[in-house]
Amino acid sequence: MTFGLLSEDSFLNGRVRLIQPKIGYRAAIDPVFLAAGIPACPSDKVLEIGSGTGAASFCLAARVPKVEVLGLELQLELVKLATKSVELNSLNQTVSFLQGDLLSPPERIGAFLFDHVMANPPHLKSQSVISSPNLQKEIAYVEGEAALTDWIKFALGNVRVGGTVTFLHRYDRRDEVVSGLEEGAGGIIIFPLWPKIRGVGAKRVVIQGRKGVKGITKLSDGMVLYDQNGEYSYEANKILREAERIMF
């Protein structure tokens, strides 16, 4: 599968430049919030599952100097675009992308355990939607052979004890993510992204746990994304423009 027209877009107030298709799945704010949730330190090793064109990986690398990020992506064409963006962002020494399927991952995955694993997997179950004519977009949005439980198991299997696993997903599927993480992680935090009013109408949620750590699951107050004028809130702008970290 090949893409037609491409665009070069910026994130984090220009600190990240990203090449992506003009038609199909296009990164917006989801990967920025995913990256903002990772408590990485310089020289930590991070795995992004389903990295797409690399938006979350690049946003994390822009916030944390010398963090090492490896993205695993099923679609080869997206890996090629992400690799072009590595050059664009001068991150050749710290960020790389690999084509592969989490159900049968390449040997490089599994050679060691990562400090953090992050993912923004397809949000829709395969039986819940009508197929899209755009295959690349369908793969990004709709679960394929790998179900959500497979993503979670893979993430837990590739992170060190004490390391974090972070998912950004649909708020109405939060219980599935929490249930899966509880198989191997604890101290789980559920961080809703509320549209305008705290406690009302969340579509997205960031969920994070630590492998092998005991602790109860907690529901955070989360963050309100927009003010009453429809502009990004002060807290959201800190994430989206100033590359600040989510403090769970």
Side-chain angles (χ1 to χ4, degrees):
M1 179 174 55
T2 57
F3 301 113
L5 296 176
L6 303 174
S7 66
E8 181 185 312
D9 303 291
S10 64
F11 294 79
L12 300 183
N13 205 23
R15 290 173 62 179
V16 169
R17 298 161 67 190
L18 187 73
I19 300 171
Q20 56 183 340
K22 282 193 173 183
I23 299 175
Y25 174 77
R26 290 176 53 79
I29 67 173
D30 282 5
V32 185
F33 278 98
L34 174 62
I38 312 305
C41 298
S43 300
D44 276 359
K45 293 178 172 56
V46 181
L47 172 65
E48 182 184 7
I49 314 170
S51 49
T53 51
S57 293
F58 292 125
C59 286
L60 179 59
R63 176 169 62 84
V64 184
K66 298 182 180 179
V67 68
E68 297 180 28
V69 189
L70 174 63
L72 177 67
E73 169 56 43
L74 180 63
Q75 301 184 68
L76 179 59
E77 292 298 327
L78 293 184
V79 173
K80 291 179 180 178
L81 293 182
T83 301
K84 289 183 179 180
S85 294
V86 169
E87 299 279 348
L88 200 60
N89 290 280
S90 301
L91 290 169
N92 309 66
Q93 301 301 312
T94 55
V95 179
S96 61
F97 298 92
L98 190 63
Q99 191 276 331
D101 187 338
L102 66 87
L103 294 178
S104 54
E107 290 185 4
R108 184 175 171 186
I109 304 293
F112 58 88
L113 296 178
F114 292 84
D115 298 295
H116 310 278
V117 177
M118 61 179 178
N120 176 20
H123 291 176
L124 302 173
K125 296 182 179 181
S126 59
Q127 65 270 28
S128 67
V129 294
I130 299 173
S131 295
S132 168
N134 186 301
L135 180 58
Q136 180 258 329
K137 190 172 183 179
E138 179 169 337
I139 293 172
Y141 283 117
V142 184
E143 290 178 1
E145 292 185 24
L148 178 56
T149 53
D150 297 311
W151 285 71
I152 298 171
K153 288 178 181 177
F154 183 74
L156 288 170
N158 283 281
V159 70
R160 63 172 175 79
V161 172
T164 66
V165 173
T166 307
F167 277 76
L168 188 145
H169 215 286
R170 285 168 57 110
Y171 185 74
D172 60 7
R173 297 189 70 185
R174 64 194 182 281
D175 289 345
E176 295 176 63
V177 178
V178 170
S179 177
L181 286 178
E182 287 177 338
E183 294 295 319
I188 297 169
I189 302 294
I190 303 168
F191 189 90
L193 301 176
W194 310 107
K196 286 189 175 181
I197 301 173
R198 198 174 303 279
V200 178
K203 298 293 192 297
R204 297 286 186 267
V205 63
V206 182
I207 302 176
Q208 184 176 96
R210 288 188 176 272
K211 181 178 177 177
V213 172
K214 294 182 179 180
I216 63 173
T217 296
K218 296 180 180 179
L219 175 62
S220 165
D221 289 339
M223 179 182 295
V224 176
L225 297 179
Y226 302 97
D227 62 23
Q228 294 306 309
N229 297 318
E231 303 292 334
Y232 285 120
S233 67
Y234 173 81
E235 293 81 4
N237 263 316
K238 284 288 190 179
I239 303 294
L240 296 171
R241 298 186 65 80
E242 299 180 27
E244 289 208 359
R245 178 186 149 195
I246 293 175
M247 304 303 292
F248 292 103

